[in-house]
Amino acid sequence: MADSDKPRYSPSLMRMWRVYRTAKEMCMDRGYNILEEDTTITLEEFAGKFAREDGEPDRQRMPFSCEPSDEMLRKYSAPPTAKDPNPQPQIGQLWVEFNADENVGLKQLRDYMQHLSNHNFYSGIMVCIKPMTGMALRLLRGASGLDEGPKGGVEVFVEQDLLVNITKHELVPKHVLLSREEKAQLLERYRLKETQLPRIQVTDPVAKYLGLRRGQVVKIIRKSETAGRYASYRWAI
């Protein structure tokens, strides 16, 4: 094959370009302050920033942090009360890292959690090449293991999960997180307990994409041929 016929970019670089853009879109969809241009970065721009001399992606140059927007801070804050007129939001600065190791275990996870704590990040997202080892996953799920980590915990995604933005699929309806105040108003309006709402698992792909926490309520807006669109609600468990 002549040099002019060779692909300009390696398959792994193109793959990481898609993963990176989806990660940026995911943070924006959650409510973090992300520049629109970061979600539409071209392959050429991505290569200029993150390609090594051999054309492979340099994951160590790809991490980024982002701050929650004012709207996100509102949704993650409890309604003011007489005892607590200025409740602190349960959200903060996020650190997203793309791990370059083929196998991520306890050591990599502990190092990552230590980095988050040392730099006062509220929470973190680690994107791995392959699924974490079982022991590392057990550390994530164990409350005692997270004492050494960030207040908001750590989420883990496999690169394969971020190759496409699942919320852009035509069959996936729009999901909107309700604030605690909006949740209380919903339950009062329909005279319901949260346990009476239909449920959505936090492990559901869309729930995981949006970072839903147990106890939160999400509004799901679907298209309807007769009503135009209609809304339903799900309680995250």
Side-chain angles (χ1 to χ4, degrees):
M1 180 186 291
D3 289 343
S4 59
D5 295 331
K6 291 181 180 179
R8 185 176 178 186
Y9 302 110
S10 70
S12 56
L13 185 71
M14 292 188 285
R15 175 188 174 90
M16 283 310 300
W17 166 60
R18 294 167 63 187
V19 171
Y20 181 82
R21 294 210 318 181
T22 302
K24 287 280 188 175
E25 290 174 349
M26 180 173 69
C27 292
M28 176 180 282
D29 290 342
R30 291 185 180 196
Y32 290 97
N33 288 320
I34 296 289
L35 294 175
E36 184 74 30
E37 61 198 53
D38 287 345
T39 66
T40 58
I41 184 172
T42 66
L43 178 55
E44 184 177 8
E45 291 170 336
F46 180 82
K49 286 185 175 182
F50 305 118
R52 302 191 312 232
E53 290 186 3
D54 62 1
E56 295 300 304
D58 187 349
R59 291 172 176 82
Q60 294 183 347
R61 286 155 53 188
M62 290 171 55
F64 63 89
S65 64
C66 47
E67 298 280 354
S69 64
D70 291 342
E71 175 65 13
M72 191 179 193
L73 291 172
R74 182 186 71 82
K75 287 191 174 184
Y76 281 82
S77 298
T81 62
K83 289 186 177 180
D84 188 6
N86 296 300
Q88 292 299 306
Q90 295 182 337
I91 201 72
Q93 190 177 26
L94 172 73
W95 177 255
V96 181
E97 186 170 294
F98 302 83
N99 192 281
D101 295 335
E102 280 288 329
N103 297 299
V104 176
L106 283 174
K107 180 184 183 303
Q108 291 90 339
L109 180 57
R110 290 187 185 279
D111 289 346
Y112 179 66
M113 292 164 67
Q114 191 64 53
H115 171 80
L116 296 176
S117 297
N118 291 345
H119 294 83
N120 296 317
F121 288 107
Y122 188 89
S123 57
I125 292 177
M126 179 186 280
V127 182
C128 305
I129 297 175
K130 296 178 180 178
M132 276 187 172
T133 64
M135 291 186 66
L137 288 174
R138 283 193 289 275
L139 172 62
L140 270 182
R141 294 167 184 156
S144 60
L146 288 177
D147 289 344
E148 63 191 87
K151 187 175 182 180
V154 173
E155 298 173 65
V156 177
F157 286 84
V158 179
E159 290 178 2
Q160 181 72 29
D161 298 334
L162 297 177
L163 285 175
V164 296
N165 184 338
I166 58 173
T167 63
K168 290 185 176 181
H169 194 284
E170 61 179 5
L171 296 180
V172 178
K174 183 175 180 62
H175 289 59
V176 180
L177 175 65
L178 299 187
S179 67
R180 292 191 183 184
E181 189 172 3
E182 291 167 336
K183 172 185 171 181
Q185 291 172 352
L186 172 73
L187 298 177
E188 183 179 357
R189 184 188 318 142
Y190 294 105
R191 298 180 181 179
L192 294 172
K193 296 180 180 178
E194 61 182 15
T195 54
Q196 294 176 292
L197 290 171
R199 302 179 180 188
I200 183 172
Q201 299 278 349
V202 292
T203 53
D204 175 271
V206 176
K208 187 176 179 182
Y209 177 89
L210 294 174
L212 295 186
R213 300 175 182 174
R214 287 180 173 82
Q216 290 182 322
V217 173
V218 65
K219 180 179 181 180
I220 302 176
I221 304 170
R222 290 183 171 88
K223 295 180 181 179
S224 168
E225 293 183 1
T226 55
R229 65 177 190 170
Y230 69 95
S232 59
Y233 300 88
R234 295 287 186 274
W235 177 49
I237 60 171

